[in-house]
Amino acid sequence: LLPSCLLGFLCFSIFGATVTALNSELNVISQIAIKDVFRKRLELSEEKLQLLIGRIIIAVVMILCMVVAGFIRNFGGSFRYLITLMSLTTLPTFVPLLFGLMYKRTPAWGAVLSFCTGLTTGVICTFALGIPTAYMIFANFAVTLATMIITGELWPVKGDRAEIVEHLFEKIKTPGASDMIG
């Protein structure tokens, strides 16, 4: 329906949007790894070293994505792959984030553990047991939430960390508290 010049413009626009989205996702992954994982473990204070590690992380993730893209047909096509990937990862990601805003007893490692157990449950249900997606999502949710609650009940946040968490929950309850952050 489009003239050739507009069709080319549309194709390049779609390509540009895809590259931009991929670039931002790769940068987010790299920043999270550097700021939250490697900096604390390796005492990364030099910016050149952080940049080098960030570039290495981006290259590894890109290679991993290209390898997975080669096997998309084995997953039943790209749509089925995205459905499977989203159903495996969405609940283990968002249950700790959202539940953590309501339940202050769970320690930080409990949230990470709940993500890992939820993801593992989804992988086992999907690939080892062949359970339909709807049941896998329910099992994924139940295991992730149960892990959050159990870790919070058995190993609640204590000491200085408990004071920080309590202060955060007071800020959440107080309207306009974002003006007083500090």
Side-chain angles (χ1 to χ4, degrees), residues 100-175:
L101 292 173
M102 298 177 281
Y103 186 70
K104 54 184 156 184
R105 293 178 57 94
T106 302
W109 63 266
V112 173
L113 180 65
S114 67
F115 170 79
C116 293
T117 57
L119 186 62
T120 303
T121 300
V123 168
I124 290 170
C125 288
T126 302
F127 299 112
L129 303 176
I131 293 175
T133 304
Y135 296 118
M136 182 276 297
I137 290 172
F138 178 74
N140 200 335
F141 174 74
V143 169
T144 304
L145 187 61
T147 305
M148 284 284 294
I149 293 170
I150 290 169
T151 55
E153 291 300 317
L154 296 179
W155 300 281
V157 177
K158 295 179 182 173
D160 293 339
R161 196 71 163 158
E163 291 176 20
I164 293 170
V165 170
E166 193 61 44
H167 184 68
L168 173 68
F169 273 80
E170 284 301 317
K171 284 183 179 182
I172 291 172
K173 283 193 255 183
T174 308

Side-chain angles (χ1 to χ4, degrees), residues 9 11 21 31 71 91 96 105 127 130:
F9 184 71
C11 289
Q31 279 295 334
F71 294 100
L91 285 172
R105 293 178 57 94
F127 299 112

Side-chain angles (χ1 to χ4, degrees), residues 8-159:
F9 184 71
L10 178 69
C11 289
F12 279 110
S13 298
I14 292 171
F15 178 73
T18 303
V19 169
T20 302
L22 179 62
N23 181 37
S24 66
E25 290 298 321
L26 289 171
N27 283 327
V28 166
I29 291 168
S30 174
Q31 279 295 334
I32 288 172
I34 290 171
K35 301 285 183 190
D36 294 339
V37 178
F38 292 117
R39 184 189 283 175
K40 292 178 184 176
R41 305 279 189 276
L42 301 175
E43 301 290 330
L44 296 178
S45 58
E46 189 176 328
E47 286 188 26
K48 286 185 178 183
L49 183 58
Q50 289 180 20
L51 183 64
L52 175 65
I53 291 174
R55 288 178 176 167
I56 292 169
I57 290 169
I58 287 174
V60 168
V61 170
M62 284 177 52
I63 291 168
L64 182 65
C65 288
M66 287 189 282
V67 169
V68 169
F71 294 100
I72 290 289
R73 286 188 178 169
N74 297 349
F75 288 109
S78 59
F79 182 73
R80 182 71 189 149
Y81 170 75
L82 285 174
I83 293 294
T84 303
L85 183 67
M86 294 303 291
S87 62
L88 287 173
T89 59
T90 300
L91 285 172
T93 302
F94 287 110
V95 167
L97 288 174
L98 296 176
F99 190 68
L101 292 173
M102 298 177 281
Y103 186 70
K104 54 184 156 184
R105 293 178 57 94
T106 302
W109 63 266
V112 173
L113 180 65
S114 67
F115 170 79
C116 293
T117 57
L119 186 62
T120 303
T121 300
V123 168
I124 290 170
C125 288
T126 302
F127 299 112
L129 303 176
I131 293 175
T133 304
Y135 296 118
M136 182 276 297
I137 290 172
F138 178 74
N140 200 335
F141 174 74
V143 169
T144 304
L145 187 61
T147 305
M148 284 284 294
I149 293 170
I150 290 169
T151 55
E153 291 300 317
L154 296 179
W155 300 281
V157 177
K158 295 179 182 173

